[in-house]
Amino acid sequence: MASAKSPVSSSPPAASPPSATLSTHTPEGAKAAYPHLLASPSSPHPSSAALDKCLDEILRDILELRMREGKASEVEVGASKSEAQVTASESEAQVGEGDKNRETWSNQFQFFFYCLGYAVGFGNVWRFPYLCYKNGGAAFLIPYLIMLLLAGIPIFCVELVIGQYISLGPATLFPKLAPIFSGLGFGMVVIPLLTAIYFNVILAWTFFYTFAAFSPVVPWSNCDNDFNSPACYTEEGGAMCRNRSLYYYNHACLNASQYCQLGHLAALNSTYCYDPYDPTQIKPVEGSVARMTSSEDYFRNRVLGVTGRTWEDMGGLRWELVGCLLLGWIIVAACLAKGIRTTGKIVYVTAIFPYVILIILLIRGLTLDGAYQGLEFYLLKPNMARLTEMEVWSDAATQIFFSCGICFGCLITLSSYNKFNTNCIRDAFVLSISNCCTSILIGLVIFSVLGFLAKELGVEVGEVATSGSGLAFVVFPAALSLMPLPQLWSVLFFIMLMNIGFGSQFTMVETVITALVDQFKPLRSHKAVVVLLVCLALFLMGLTMCLEGGIYMFELFFFFSASFSVIILGLMQLAGVQTVFGYRNMMAAIKEMGISQPRVLTWYWAATWLFITPLLLIVIAFFILYFIVPAYWDDYVFPYEIQVLGWLLCASSVACIPIGAIIAVARNKGSWKNLFVLSPMFCPASARQLIKAKEEAECEPRFRYTMYQNDAFVENEVGAIVPQF
């Protein structure tokens, strides 16, 4: 749409080379050799003139810099050269080489599968299927896909474009956008840092279940274990007691009177109990005592040990869980220590293998008795009337936002390792659509199995369908335990869950590490040590979630660390990029990277980036606050002071924005306008190298006028004024 060129470029256009008769040792020759570094004079952006001036000075210093580095042969002062000592092709290579110390992907497949493994996470497994059946089945796909087009893909594309164009992680990218946005990138790093802490706890649970699945009898299938509570219930035991008109509890069949007494009630008859202190309170005998399935009892009492624990009494550490957590962090550290090129090969497995297992589980699920009822409940009975409810649209928007993983800073980090001419626009569309299709596929697997579970238990599918950790670690294992060869299907399911988790975890930890090595560049040569220290710190932070009451800390992080704050950061990101860098410069940057796109796509970007998506983010933020509920787990609502702690956790990332702005204001020595002006360093890595070279050159000894107003004195290397001769 826009024909203006971007301020800078890291690779020359496919134009004819400068004339051989024009020396690159002159300013005019340098300009001819580097036409792609000059900002277009027609650019309407307020900072383009300043950037043009800066780069013009850089070009004038190229000859001097090359002489100082010993890259030019003999140069005589005041003598003109007819032929350049450094050819235009060598000069162009210098500009296009980028940051040699920064890694890049070995090939485009590594980037694609890394992004796919990151985007497809636990939310696709335990949230999307639940939202789909809750909000009208297949009817939910309509608002879901609309929100994908209006919010998911536009923000996905913005992050890939700016990350690839600038070749920096979010923590160092946004300070170069404008000083006022210095804290935005750090806020984006805080979110994956907090999320990585509890993500590895989920992986620890997955390891725990995987190891347990190799038992001769899967331990969550019965109540005959030492760790089972008296409230543990199995359908087989319940059916045996029902045949005798009795009620199952703690491996025994009790009559109505005995069963009612367990709930501090009295028997009214063989089917009802009543409260002796209030005879009007009558309830069925079956519901008078709290019971839990064997799979829930296993999760609560064997894995977590949470029974009887509260925030005031968190209990001791579950050492087996600590060992599983440590194993998870060892794997993360080992995979990330060698850099993205090594991890990029590992993600071939973590991104592709889950699809293999999903297809196997889907084929098995479709052959189960009751699978059709599950799929019917999931998709085949769309309730179009639900589309008139605002909550459905709010659920679709939030699910797209969190499922695609936008505004976590992770996509910016991954694309920053791209080569400059990668077609990231194509990748944004393919990855977003692939993520949504994966969610639908996982839903088919989940509900085909839940339909089987409902048929076995003799209940409706809606009674066993749930979301969150309960679906992955309670309901689904219960269904798998009823199949032939439950060990096989359990191992396959948890290995799939493990691969999905590691795919996301690699990216989030890499985002934190990239923020450190980009901020402190000497650390790049010691990346393995940085990875080890970061993983060790995050492991120690996660130990609180391995306490007997650690599930409460886990749910607090899960509830607050990446919820409302992500929406705020996304809105600030979009506002900053489009107001400071500008829509036309975005289009020019895309063109400069060699990415062609049809005119209709430029209209689509203009409508979404400038109007629709920002407005939609504001609406999403409003409805998140409108529909919000206090943090809880099971039927335990967290105390008020813990709710406050959760909101402080949420604010920890958002607070980086005003803190960064305050620091920028304190350091600003010019006008307020300087805080909102695009920095010349917001450019490709190759151009930043030239700018840095110029700054280093300016630090060398220079002439300085003294009180005698003559050139007889010069400032030496330590800043002292000494005679020139």
Side-chain angles (χ1 to χ4, degrees):
M1 180 177 178
S3 59
K5 292 177 64 178
S6 181
V8 289
S9 171
S10 68
S11 60
S16 59
S19 172
T21 61
L22 189 57
S23 174
T24 57
H25 286 191
T26 65
E28 292 75 14
K31 288 183 179 181
Y34 302 94
H36 49 287
L37 287 180
L38 298 179
S40 171
S42 62
S43 174
H45 203 278
S47 65
S48 60
L51 185 58
D52 188 19
K53 180 180 178 181
C54 177
L55 292 175
D56 184 69
E57 293 177 359
I58 293 172
L59 295 175
R60 292 179 179 276
D61 289 343
I62 287 178
L63 172 61
E64 182 180 356
L65 292 174
R66 281 190 174 271
M67 287 190 296
R68 289 174 181 171
E69 295 172 1
K71 293 181 180 179
S73 55
E74 299 180 0
V75 179
E76 298 179 2
V77 178
S80 61
K81 298 279 187 179
S82 60
E83 296 292 331
Q85 299 297 323
V86 181
T87 65
S89 60
E90 291 172 338
S91 301
E92 289 171 355
Q94 178 190 3
V95 176
E97 65 189 357
D99 190 344
K100 287 182 177 180
N101 295 324
R102 205 170 196 277
E103 297 176 287
T104 58
W105 303 109
S106 297
N107 56 68
Q108 188 59 23
F109 289 107
Q110 287 188 353
F111 167 71
F112 180 85
F113 285 115
Y114 218 119
C115 286
L116 184 62
Y118 161 67
V120 178
F122 292 126
N124 300 74
V125 177
W126 66 34
R127 181 164 172 79
F128 174 81
Y130 171 78
L131 289 179
C132 202
Y133 102 82
K134 170 191 169 186
N135 293 309
F140 180 71
L141 297 179
I142 296 175
Y144 185 71
L145 295 177
I146 290 176
M147 292 302 171
L148 174 66
L149 291 174
L150 299 185
I153 293 178
I155 299 179
F156 205 109
C157 184
V158 166
E159 296 193 353
L160 293 191
V161 168
I162 62 174
Q164 178 175 307
Y165 186 69
I166 309 300
S167 299
L168 289 173
T172 46
L173 183 148
F174 285 101
K176 291 176 171 54
L177 176 65
I180 200 67
F181 292 103
S182 296
L184 177 58
F186 289 96
M188 286 187 170
V189 174
V190 169
I191 289 181
L193 187 148
L194 297 177
T195 306
I197 295 173
Y198 75 79
F199 244 65
N200 241 42
V201 174
I202 302 175
L203 286 169
W205 298 344
T206 306
F207 278 119
F208 199 106
Y209 272 83
T210 303
F211 297 148
F214 286 98
S215 303
V217 178
V218 288
W220 55 84
S221 64
N222 59 73
C223 297
D224 301 327
N225 307 288
D226 295 337
F227 55 81
N228 288 127
S229 67
C232 183
Y233 172 84
T234 62
E235 185 60 28
E236 294 82 358
M240 179 184 66
C241 292
R242 280 195 300 270
N243 292 335
R244 299 164 54 190
S245 299
L246 299 175
Y247 302 93
Y248 180 88
Y249 187 82
N250 194 19
H251 304 283
C253 294
L254 308 178
N255 59 36
S257 178
Q258 294 171 323
Y259 198 80
C260 290
Q261 287 178 5
L262 294 174
H264 306 288
L265 301 173
L268 181 64
N269 52 41
S270 61
T271 56
Y272 287 95
C273 302
Y274 72 94
D275 187 347
Y277 300 100
D278 185 5
T280 61
Q281 298 295 323
I282 300 174
K283 62 173 59 177
V285 175
E286 283 283 3
S288 62
V289 178
R291 298 182 304 193
M292 64 181 75
T293 63
S294 58
S295 60
E296 182 181 2
D297 192 82
Y298 179 83
F299 183 58
R300 292 176 64 98
N301 296 304
R302 179 67 180 95
V303 180
L304 303 179
V306 68
T307 300
R309 299 301 179 184
T310 64
W311 271 102
E312 291 75 20
D313 180 18
M314 298 284 281
L317 285 170
R318 306 283 292 177
W319 290 107
E320 291 172 307
L321 206 56
V322 171
C324 291
L325 181 65
L326 179 61
L327 176 60
W329 280 116
I330 289 174
I331 293 175
V332 172
C335 292
L336 295 180
K338 294 296 184 179
I340 60 166
R341 293 198 174 191
T342 300
T343 318
K345 298 174 182 177
I346 297 173
V347 296
Y348 289 146
V349 176
T350 60
I352 298 176
F353 190 60
Y355 288 94
V356 176
I357 299 180
L358 279 174
I359 293 173
I360 295 174
L361 290 175
L362 178 60
I363 294 173
R364 177 59 180 136
L366 293 176
T367 62
L368 295 172
D369 186 22
Y372 178 80
Q373 286 77 8
L375 297 180
E376 183 180 47
F377 196 80
Y378 172 50
L379 284 177
L380 302 181
K381 286 186 177 180
N383 184 2
M384 306 303 292
R386 292 298 307 277
L387 297 182
T388 60
E389 301 178 20
M390 188 55 65
E391 184 180 4
V392 175
W393 292 85
S394 176
D395 284 345
T398 52
Q399 177 62 17
I400 279 292
F401 211 84
F402 298 119
S403 178
C404 291
I406 49 183
C407 302
F408 279 61
C410 297
L411 294 174
I412 296 177
T413 299
L414 295 180
S415 64
S416 71
Y417 294 115
N418 269 345
K419 293 181 173 59
F420 190 73
N421 59 351
T422 300
N423 192 341
C424 56
I425 300 292
R426 173 202 60 205
D427 294 340
F429 277 94
V430 175
L431 287 167
S432 299
I433 295 173
S434 298
N435 177 61
C436 293
C437 293
T438 302
S439 296
I440 297 173
L441 173 63
I442 292 175
L444 294 175
V445 174
I446 295 292
F447 273 90
S448 64
V449 176
L450 292 187
F452 162 74
L453 177 62
K455 185 71 175 291
E456 289 288 310
L457 299 179
V459 298
E460 293 293 328
V461 179
E463 296 183 39
V464 296
T466 184
S467 66
S469 57
L471 175 62
F473 297 101
V474 175
V475 177
F476 212 81
L480 297 175
S481 67
L482 298 176
M483 295 183 186
L485 299 176
Q487 295 88 347
L488 172 63
W489 303 114
S490 297
V491 168
L492 286 177
F493 174 74
F494 287 112
I495 288 179
M496 178 206 70
L497 208 61
M498 192 185 305
N499 278 269
I500 288 176
F502 275 122
S504 300
Q505 186 73 338
F506 289 155
T507 306
M508 289 186 290
V509 178
E510 181 65 47
T511 299
V512 177
I513 293 168
T514 298
L516 292 173
V517 299
D518 279 353
Q519 190 73 26
F520 308 102
K521 292 186 178 180
L523 294 178
R524 289 181 178 176
S525 57
H526 307 284
K527 187 172 181 179
V529 177
V530 176
V531 170
L532 179 62
L533 293 177
V534 168
C535 290
L536 177 61
L538 294 178
F539 164 71
L540 295 176
M541 293 179 188
L543 286 179
T544 57
M545 301 178 192
C546 294
L547 295 169
E548 292 175 337
I551 186 65
Y552 301 132
M553 183 66 74
F554 170 86
E555 288 294 333
L556 188 74
F557 271 70
F558 180 75
F559 200 92
F560 286 105
S561 62
S563 56
F564 182 72
S565 55
V566 177
I567 306 296
I568 300 301
L569 292 176
L571 184 61
M572 293 299 298
Q573 173 187 239
L574 204 56
V577 171
Q578 296 306 320
T579 57
V580 178
F581 190 53
Y583 169 75
R584 291 190 178 183
N585 279 335
M586 280 288 289
M587 290 294 100
I590 293 172
K591 183 178 180 181
E592 188 178 343
M593 290 187 290
I595 304 172
S596 60
Q597 51 185 348
R599 183 173 296 273
V600 66
L601 199 54
T602 62
W603 295 341
Y604 168 66
W605 298 136
T608 53
W609 289 345
L610 300 178
F611 303 105
I612 299 176
T613 306
L615 180 61
L616 190 59
L617 292 181
I618 296 174
V619 173
I620 294 172
F622 170 79
F623 280 108
I624 286 180
L625 293 177
Y626 182 80
F627 291 114
I628 201 162
V629 296
Y632 66 94
W633 183 70
D634 200 16
D635 56 354
Y636 176 64
V637 179
F638 296 168
Y640 172 78
E641 58 272 16
I642 301 301
Q643 304 287 347
V644 174
L645 177 63
W647 281 107
L648 292 176
L649 187 69
C650 176
S652 62
S653 55
V654 178
C656 293
I657 300 176
I659 291 174
I662 291 172
I663 295 175
V665 170
R667 292 178 176 177
N668 181 42
K669 298 181 180 179
S671 65
W672 284 85
K673 183 180 179 181
N674 294 340
L675 297 172
F676 301 90
V677 172
L678 182 69
S679 168
M681 301 295 283
F682 196 78
C683 57
S686 54
R688 285 198 305 276
Q689 284 186 320
L690 293 177
I691 295 175
K692 182 179 178 181
K694 174 176 171 55
E695 292 175 348
E696 291 175 352
E698 290 177 347
C699 294
E700 296 192 5
R702 60 186 184 277
F703 287 104
R704 175 177 171 183
Y705 285 100
T706 68
M707 58 182 294
Y708 302 104
Q709 295 296 313
N710 58 43
D711 297 335
F713 295 86
V714 67
E715 183 178 0
N716 65 11
E717 295 180 357
V718 297
I721 305 300
V722 297
Q724 181 179 0
F725 300 100

